Amino acid sequence: MAGALYREFLLTGPAKWQALVSLVRENAKAFNDRGRPLRVIVTEEEERRKLQQNRFYWGAVISRIAEQAWVEGQQFSKDAWHEYYGRLFGVCQDVTLPDGEVVTRRLSTADMTVGDFSEYCERVQAHAAAEFGVEFL
């Protein structure tokens, strides 16, 4: 039993439930004997952000920023603002390429949950209003 143990199960049917029970049965005693008991966390599956949220983001948030915000006498496209805020408030991760180069990659907002995306939109709006004077109706 080398290395860390990490598994996630989405309990969609009896087979998944049995796999979870088997994993715990097969590992709980051994990990406990090593002084490293298993931690079991149960939570509901969170939905990915909705298309309606995405339409709001692009229509009521990013479009207004692109229309109203000026930075050093210049305006920027919706895509530029989306990338800017994705890097500022989104989730980024380092990815190692085959040649060994490590690059930071911004994860897509499509991968956010409903709650995370809602919070993200609020942060973008608050920042745009405070830093660039953007007004949201």
Side-chain angles (χ1 to χ4, degrees):
M1 225 177 297
L5 176 67
Y6 180 87
R7 291 281 312 270
E8 288 188 30
F9 296 88
L10 183 59
L11 301 177
T12 57
K16 300 285 180 128
W17 173 251
Q18 287 303 322
L20 169 63
V21 171
S22 293
L23 178 79
V24 173
R25 249 191 217 126
E26 293 166 7
N27 292 283
K29 183 176 180 342
F31 274 79
N32 197 49
D33 289 348
R34 292 190 341 223
R36 305 209 24 114
L38 294 181
R39 175 188 306 254
V40 178
I41 299 171
V42 177
T43 186
E44 67 182 316
E45 177 72 358
E46 293 186 71
E47 292 183 80
R48 295 281 177 223
R49 68 127 166 91
K50 306 250 185 224
L51 290 177
Q52 181 180 1
Q53 284 181 295
N54 197 49
R55 282 192 297 273
F56 170 80
Y57 171 73
W58 282 97
V61 179
I62 293 297
S63 288
R64 290 208 173 104
I65 295 169
E67 292 165 2
Q68 298 176 36
W70 290 82
V71 179
E72 297 181 11
Q74 187 175 357
Q75 286 189 295
F76 294 90
S77 69
K78 292 185 289 186
D79 288 335
W81 285 111
H82 173 63
E83 186 65 27
Y84 173 78
Y85 280 112
R87 289 176 184 223
L88 188 61
F89 297 129
V91 177
C92 294
Q93 69 180 175
D94 289 339
V95 177
T96 303
L97 302 179
D99 65 0
E101 180 184 3
V102 178
V103 296
T104 300
R105 181 176 170 268
R106 181 182 60 80
L107 300 181
S108 173
T109 57
D111 294 327
M112 291 181 181
T113 65
V114 168
D116 290 341
F117 193 70
S118 179
E119 183 180 313
Y120 173 77
C121 285
E122 289 172 12
R123 291 181 77 187
V124 169
Q125 287 176 289
H127 185 272
E131 296 297 319
F132 306 112
V134 176
E135 295 179 0
F136 299 95
L137 305 176

